Amino acid sequence: MSAVVGAFVALVAVALLGYVVGLLGVLRPEDELVLSRLAFFVATPALLFTTVARADLHSIFSVVLVTNLASLAVVQAIFLLVAVLLWRRSRSEATVGVLASSYVNAGNLGVPIAAYVLGNGALVAPIVLFQLLVFAPVAFAILDGDRQGSGRRVQLRTLLTRPLRNPLTVASLLGLVAAAFDVPLPTVVMRPIDLLAAAAVPVALIAYGLSLSAGAKDSITLQRDVVLAVVLKTVAQPLLAYAVARWVLDLHGPALLAPTLLAALPTAQNVYVYAVHYRTSRTLARSAVLLSTLISIPLMTAIAGLLA
């Protein structure tokens, strides 16, 4: 347990460093975009490729995926029932709310936690693939077809190929191919990729801390949609994942840690990007991302300490 908690403390310390250098002006708020793009387009894809390509596929598509899908379905159903039937939210508003309540930060925060705390970055691969290949395209299809969203329709070819233009998806799929067909990975090729992969965790965490240092008091609202989304994301989803792993899959002790911890990840920043692009529920998305992030840090630390 002490090893897992110690690893988590190390992650928090690096994120805190990003927060401090932001407050001191060593790095500027606009530098967060540069670091995030470096992590998203270069370092994290390298980390995903190396970990998935060398992983046992049976360990990848196992408990984490099952529990994630189960908790995801329940959380989304609850938000839709409340938002649509009780609050009469539009299709676009309900879609962004569903994203805010269940679309986890698997890329920027999930990969470092899986790699450093759980010791296996490949564990987050099925979540990344599901969100980018299934969840996001379905949400885009709904938002693209809603005149209250972007007001324009997108060609089917663009919609279907959009996930394949995401570097995390491409890297994960290439890693799966390499692992499934046992493709030889020459040392001369893997050394620079491993070098880039080593930068993924610190760069992503510093960018993460830097984003919090900018301050966003005017960006937070406690409207009922936000409260529902944040409670579902930070409380209901990890509890549901734990329940499925514990009482349905009959897992005990440390085996419960991975599915529960990854389900407790906060709302992904991508949700706000999608809300801005489709011109709907930007306040909801921005508030859910920030509040779930602030809540998830102590929550995930507690989960690591209890289940490790």
Side-chain angles (χ1 to χ4, degrees):
M1 181 178 72
S2 60
V4 173
V5 175
F8 212 99
V9 169
L11 290 181
V12 173
V14 176
L16 182 61
L17 174 63
Y19 179 79
V20 171
V21 296
L23 288 181
L24 295 177
V26 177
L27 293 176
R28 302 162 298 172
E30 53 266 31
D31 293 333
E32 183 265 331
L33 177 61
V34 177
L35 292 175
S36 295
R37 289 177 65 85
L38 175 63
F40 185 83
F41 287 99
V42 180
T44 300
L47 179 59
L48 277 174
F49 174 76
T50 57
T51 53
V52 174
R54 293 165 174 161
D56 179 3
L57 293 184
H58 295 288
S59 68
I60 297 178
F61 297 101
S62 57
V63 177
V64 171
L65 182 60
V66 173
T67 55
N68 179 260
L69 293 179
S71 61
L72 191 80
V74 176
V75 164
Q76 291 179 350
I78 293 173
F79 189 92
L80 283 175
L81 287 174
V82 175
V84 176
L85 297 182
L86 295 182
W87 298 339
R88 303 298 181 183
R89 296 293 184 254
S90 69
R91 186 167 59 177
S92 290
E93 292 170 337
T95 301
V96 173
V98 165
L99 288 168
S101 64
S102 58
Y103 196 106
V104 302
N105 192 338
N108 290 341
L109 195 56
V111 172
I113 287 176
Y116 201 69
V117 177
L118 301 174
N120 184 4
L123 289 173
V124 79
I127 299 177
V128 171
L129 290 172
F130 174 78
Q131 290 190 158
L132 295 175
L133 294 175
V134 180
F135 191 7
V138 170
F140 296 152
I142 296 172
L143 291 167
D144 282 326
D146 191 351
R147 294 187 182 277
Q148 295 182 11
S150 65
R152 63 184 184 277
R153 296 181 181 274
V154 176
Q155 293 182 353
L156 179 61
R157 183 178 63 180
T158 301
L159 189 65
L160 293 176
T161 59
R162 180 178 285 164
L164 298 180
R165 295 195 294 272
N166 187 299
L168 302 183
T169 310
V170 174
S172 299
L173 290 175
L174 290 175
L176 284 174
V177 171
F181 295 96
D182 197 21
V183 177
L185 302 173
T187 302
V188 67
V189 174
M190 293 305 297
R191 277 183 177 173
I193 298 178
D194 287 332
L195 192 61
L196 290 172
V201 174
V203 170
L205 289 173
I206 290 176
Y208 183 73
L210 184 60
S211 68
L212 297 179
S213 70
K217 292 182 179 179
D218 296 334
S219 302
I220 301 176
T221 178
L222 293 178
Q223 295 175 351
R224 55 188 180 180
D225 301 73
V226 174
V227 173
L228 177 61
V230 172
V231 169
L232 288 174
K233 180 72 228 51
T234 59
V235 179
Q237 196 165 5
L239 283 177
L240 288 166
Y242 174 88
V244 172
R246 173 66 180 83
W247 291 298
V248 177
L249 301 178
D250 195 30
L251 298 179
H252 302 272
L256 285 172
L257 178 59
T260 308
L261 189 62
L262 294 179
L265 289 167
T267 304
Q269 293 97 326
N270 287 355
V271 174
Y272 177 66
V273 175
Y274 303 154
V276 171
H277 178 72
Y278 289 101
R279 307 171 194 170
T280 182
S281 302
R282 282 175 284 190
T283 301
L284 164 61
R286 182 173 55 238
S287 300
V289 169
L290 182 57
L291 291 173
S292 66
T293 298
L294 295 176
I295 294 171
S296 68
I297 296 298
L299 178 64
M300 288 189 290
T301 304
I303 291 173
L306 292 172
L307 299 182

